[in-house]
Amino acid sequence: MKQPNPSRSATLRAAMLLAIAGIAGCDSTASSASRPEPGVLEATRNGPAGAAEGSCWGRTVSPAVIETVTEQVEITPAKMNPDGSITKPPVYKTETRQEIVRARVDNWFETPCPDVLTAEFNSTLQRALQARGYYAGPITGAMDTATRQAVRRYQARQGPNSEVLSLTTARALGLVAVPRQGG
C-alpha cells in the first residue's frame, strides 16, 4: 500500500485554507461596505450650493464621458539634403491618452424630506403608483425596493430617472400640496 506524502498533504491543506479565506473575503454583506452617496438612493438635506435651508434633495449623476485619443507624434524630424531630397525620414511614435469629453454632472432635484415619508405617506404613494399601473406589490407603507423601482419607472417619463421621489412627482401624484401662485 502506498503511503501518503506528508509534504503534499500539507500543501493541499494550505491551498484549501487560502481558497476558503479568499471566498470569505468576497462576502457582499460585509459591514465595511460604504454608504451610497447622499441624494442618490435617499433624500438628503445636504443639497446643492444655494439650496434653501431645511429643503431636501435627491440627485442623479451623469457620468463623465472619456475618449481614448491616439495620435502620431514626431520624435525626430526628417534630414534633408541640400537638393531637397530626404536623407533620413522622420521618426514618429504613437501616443495614446484619455481625454474627458464631458465632465461628470450632479443633477439635483428637490424631494419631500425624510420626515414626510411616513408609512402613511408611503402607502398613499404605493396606491397612487398602483392606480397608474407602475406598482403591483402589496400596500405596505415601506419604501422598499419594489416601491423605489416603481418611482423610478414613473419618473423616467419626465425625469428625474431616480428611485428618489422628486417633489415635482409627489405634487403630480397629489401627495404634496402645490404652492399657491401670487399669494
Side-chain angles (χ1 to χ4, degrees):
M1 183 163 152
K2 188 175 179 182
Q3 293 291 329
N5 181 342
S7 167
R8 183 172 177 185
S9 295
T11 303
L12 286 172
R13 274 194 302 273
M16 287 175 50
L17 288 172
L18 284 172
I20 292 169
I23 291 170
C26 294
D27 183 9
S28 62
T29 61
S31 62
S32 63
S34 62
R35 292 188 44 90
E37 292 182 74
V40 175
L41 291 181
E42 57 189 34
T44 180
R45 291 192 186 273
N46 300 326
E53 189 174 328
S55 62
C56 295
W57 297 84
R59 72 183 161 124
T60 59
V61 178
S62 299
V65 176
I66 300 173
E67 191 174 87
T68 301
V69 178
T70 303
E71 63 184 354
Q72 297 291 313
V73 178
E74 186 178 52
I75 297 173
T76 309
K79 297 216 187 234
M80 306 294 281
N81 291 322
D83 67 354
S85 61
I86 299 174
T87 306
K88 189 173 181 183
V91 177
Y92 293 91
K93 75 173 185 174
T94 302
E95 284 188 354
T96 302
R97 67 181 182 284
Q98 305 247 317
E99 287 184 1
I100 296 176
V101 177
R102 188 177 67 224
R104 169 189 157 138
V105 177
D106 288 342
N107 307 300
W108 290 96
F109 57 94
E110 197 167 1
T111 67
C113 288
D115 55 325
V116 172
L117 302 175
T118 63
E120 182 180 337
F121 182 93
N122 291 338
S123 293
T124 304
L125 170 63
Q126 289 169 334
R127 282 191 289 278
L129 291 169
Q130 189 176 59
R132 290 162 178 81
Y134 289 91
Y135 179 74
I139 306 301
T140 62
M143 186 57 81
D144 55 12
T145 302
T147 305
R148 289 181 187 284
Q149 289 173 350
V151 167
R152 179 185 290 275
R153 284 192 301 276
Y154 181 81
Q155 290 183 149
R157 296 178 304 129
Q158 76 280 351
N161 187 4
S162 173
E163 294 182 2
V164 177
L165 179 66
S166 75
L167 193 56
T168 302
T169 298
R171 287 179 176 148
L173 292 171
L175 306 175
V176 175
V178 177
R180 292 183 186 205
Q181 299 294 321

